């Protein structure tokens, strides 16, 4: 089976997060499966499609240092992308990809695991991440795009924990120091493990060989088509719009709280972080005993259908507390979402935790 192998020069954040969408459009229309490799020109904060920027990013710091905030089309958490990582994008025809996310990641990330093992590292796949001796060295996410599936990931070559920790929103300086320490405890890089940073050309060669060997494919060295480049430029320009970057924030402009507060005898605002396999962040507004509005955000991945989270938020509006679980059940039954990170039972449990809050109890 023949695939395209495409290497590109370093890109800015807007072009990085749209490259795989342009390629997915090509693959979806019958083009060859493609492995795309490149890195970033300058640091940027990369926010997951299901996250609210105000909850995740220290905007005072990023604006003061001209660090762009870029929302991608993939789920997952907020990450700070620097020149110290090497990025890959695997774009395949949907009918060739396992529907189950666990099998999908296992199939297409095994070559990356084996590249790291080729360097003598004790690498293994843990969920959608790759770890070395338990420390994360590669983060990955997946999405469906029409008739194509995309897996986007990176290999951490060198860490800038100081910059990374300053871009993420935290409640205090003390907490930031703890977060930086935690990052050093659970992240690693090729430099940390090997004592040096391998040349990118060497890494690309090893990745190419591993994919050919492990997937039984043959690469042809290629470039993006003129149509892909045209699509790519349009997509990158679209991602610069604040309407997109702050899409999730602007969808719920009145739900800005990180705690539970009783606004009046009839109104309560409440925020809850619920740890399932991934993090679910619920912010709710109850008015006169009904759920008037809800934001469901977090670092989970919704493979399909597109827009399921927004559909669910709208579907739950107007629910009485005793109706919430039933509506969640019905939405999952009708839409049959493929989600990596939480189940419908996790979501029910998260809402049940919110309903137990004293501030909410007093208005329902």
């Amino acid at each position: 089976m023949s695939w395209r192998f495409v290497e590109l020069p370093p890109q800015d954040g807007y072009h990085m997060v749209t490259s795989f969408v342009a390629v997915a459009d090509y693959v979806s229309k019958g083009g060859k499966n493609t492995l795309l490799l490149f890195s970033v020109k300058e640091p940027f904060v990369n926010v997951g499609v299901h996250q609210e920027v105000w909850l995740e990013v220290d905007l005072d710091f990023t604006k003061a240092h001209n660090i762009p905030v870029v929302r991608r089309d993939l789920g997952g958490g907020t990450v700070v992308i620097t020149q110290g990582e090497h990025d890959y994008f695997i774009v395949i025809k949907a009918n060739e990809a396992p529907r189950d996310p666990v099998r999908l990641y296992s199939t297409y990330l095994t070559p990356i695991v084996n590249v790291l093992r080729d360097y003598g590292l004790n690498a293994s796949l843990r969920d959608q991440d790759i770890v070395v001796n338990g420390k994360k060295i590669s983060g990955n996410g997946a999405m469906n795009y029409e008739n194509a599936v995309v897996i986007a990931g990176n290999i951490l070559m060198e860490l800038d924990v100081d910059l990374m920790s300053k871009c993420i929103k935290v409640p205090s300086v003390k907490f930031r120091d703890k977060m930086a320490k935690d990052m050093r405890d659970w992240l690693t890089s090729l430099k940390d493990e090997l004592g040096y940073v391998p040349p990118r050309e060497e890494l690309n060669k090893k990745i190419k060989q591993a994919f050919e060997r492990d997937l039984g494919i043959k690469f042809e060295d290629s470039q993006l088509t003129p149509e892909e480049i045209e699509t790519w430029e349009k997509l990158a320009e679209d991602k610069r719009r604040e309407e997109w970057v702050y899409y999730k924030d602007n969808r719920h402009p009145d739900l800005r709280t990180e705690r539970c507060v009783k606004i009046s005898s009839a109104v309560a605002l409440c925020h809850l972080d619920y740890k399932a396999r991934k993090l679910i962040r619920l912010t709710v507004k109850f008015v006169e005993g009904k759920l008037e509005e809800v934001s469901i955000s977090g670092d989970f991945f919704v493979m399909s259908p597109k827009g399921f989270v927004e559909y669910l938020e709208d579907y739950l509006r107007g629910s009485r507390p005793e109706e919430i679980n039933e509506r969640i059940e019905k939405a999952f039954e009708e839409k049959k979402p493929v989600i990596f990170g939480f189940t419908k039972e996790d979501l029910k449990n998260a809402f049940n935790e919110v309903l137990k809050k004293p501030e909410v109890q007093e208005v329902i």
Side-chain angles (χ1 to χ4, degrees):
M1 184 186 301
S2 177
W3 282 39
R4 290 193 311 171
F5 183 80
V6 180
E7 298 175 84
L8 295 174
Q11 304 291 323
D12 62 36
Y14 304 103
H15 282 83
M16 172 165 278
V17 304
T18 50
S19 59
F20 54 85
V21 183
V23 174
D25 187 66
Y26 156 86
V27 172
S28 182
K29 293 174 179 175
K32 289 186 176 182
N33 293 347
T34 301
L35 176 61
L36 187 66
L37 299 170
F38 61 94
S39 59
V40 69
K41 283 196 297 191
E42 57 196 8
F44 71 97
V45 182
N46 192 5
V47 179
V49 69
H50 303 301
Q51 294 189 302
E52 294 186 67
V53 174
W54 79 273
L55 273 171
E56 311 292 345
V57 182
D58 187 329
L59 291 171
D60 291 336
F61 179 83
T62 56
K63 288 177 180 177
H65 293 81
N66 295 315
I67 299 173
V69 177
V70 183
R71 181 185 295 278
R72 61 185 182 269
D73 289 297
L74 283 163
T78 295
V79 291
V80 182
I81 308 296
T82 72
Q83 296 93 326
E85 68 174 57
H86 198 61
D87 294 84
Y88 51 81
F89 304 92
I90 307 155
V91 189
I92 48 186
K93 295 179 177 66
N95 62 4
E96 297 178 15
R99 179 173 168 81
D100 174 47
V102 175
R103 282 189 57 220
L104 179 74
Y105 289 126
S106 175
T107 299
Y108 294 104
L109 293 180
T110 292
I112 303 296
V113 171
N114 288 332
V115 167
L116 297 171
R117 288 177 177 173
D118 191 51
Y119 278 107
L121 303 181
N122 180 28
S124 60
L125 188 62
R126 184 176 66 192
D127 293 335
Q128 81 278 20
D129 296 328
I130 299 171
V131 299
V132 172
N133 296 323
K135 287 188 171 186
K136 179 176 172 179
I137 198 170
S138 169
N140 301 272
M143 64 174 278
N144 288 345
Y145 179 90
E146 296 182 0
N147 297 316
V149 173
V150 176
I151 300 173
N154 60 62
I155 295 173
L156 297 175
M157 301 179 74
E158 189 171 1
L159 292 174
D160 188 344
V161 169
D162 184 59
L163 178 66
M164 294 163 72
S165 64
K166 287 177 178 175
C167 290
I168 304 300
K169 185 175 180 179
V170 293
S172 67
V173 173
K174 185 176 180 181
F175 191 95
R176 191 182 304 283
D177 292 340
K178 180 181 182 303
M179 182 174 67
K181 180 185 180 300
D182 289 345
M183 282 184 176
R184 293 186 180 94
D185 289 342
W186 60 266
L187 291 176
T188 190
S189 68
L190 290 177
K191 185 175 183 180
D192 291 331
E193 299 296 330
L194 301 175
Y196 70 97
V197 179
R200 293 186 191 273
E201 297 78 12
E202 175 184 288
L203 198 55
N204 283 354
K205 183 178 179 182
K206 286 180 177 289
I207 292 172
K208 183 179 183 181
Q209 291 171 342
F211 270 83
E212 288 186 325
R213 180 185 66 243
D214 295 341
L215 299 183
I217 62 175
K218 189 68 179 175
F219 280 120
E220 62 174 45
D221 292 333
S222 186
Q223 297 294 325
L224 300 184
T225 66
E227 291 77 16
E228 283 173 289
I229 293 172
E230 181 181 359
T231 299
W232 188 16
E233 291 296 338
K234 289 178 181 177
L235 290 169
E237 191 60 34
D238 191 54
K239 285 292 181 284
R240 294 178 186 273
R241 295 186 303 112
E242 287 203 351
E243 294 92 334
W244 167 252
V245 176
Y246 296 99
Y247 160 73
K248 190 75 174 175
D249 305 58
N250 293 339
R251 182 172 161 80
H252 303 288
D254 298 327
L255 299 187
R256 297 291 180 91
T257 183
E258 294 182 76
R259 58 195 181 97
C260 289
V261 292
K262 183 181 174 184
I263 307 298
S264 71
S265 61
V267 181
L269 272 177
C270 192
H271 177 86
L272 175 83
D273 285 350
Y274 184 88
K275 190 71 173 89
R277 194 169 187 173
K278 290 295 199 175
L279 182 66
I280 304 170
R281 308 190 84 167
L282 290 183
T283 311
V284 301
K285 183 179 183 181
F286 280 93
V287 177
E288 296 181 345
K290 291 184 179 181
L291 181 60
E292 181 174 273
E293 189 174 2
V294 57
S295 169
I296 303 171
S297 64
D299 59 356
F300 47 83
F301 299 84
V302 179
M303 298 287 291
S304 65
K306 185 177 181 180
F308 175 73
V309 171
E310 290 77 9
Y311 166 81
L312 184 58
E313 289 175 344
D314 292 340
Y315 189 62
L316 290 172
R317 294 180 76 163
S319 303
R320 294 195 174 278
E322 64 272 16
E323 297 171 337
I324 291 175
N325 284 355
E326 181 183 340
R327 290 202 186 187
I328 291 173
E329 190 75 38
K330 189 172 181 180
F332 273 72
E333 177 61 30
E334 288 182 355
K335 298 297 182 180
K336 296 181 171 49
V338 178
I339 298 173
F340 187 84
F342 74 87
T343 66
K344 64 182 178 182
E345 296 305 321
D346 291 323
L347 191 58
K348 290 178 185 178
N349 290 338
F351 271 101
N352 289 339
E353 290 296 317
V354 169
L355 293 172
K356 292 177 184 175
K357 297 292 182 181
E359 296 83 356
V360 175
Q361 283 283 314
E362 290 179 24
V363 302
I364 63 173

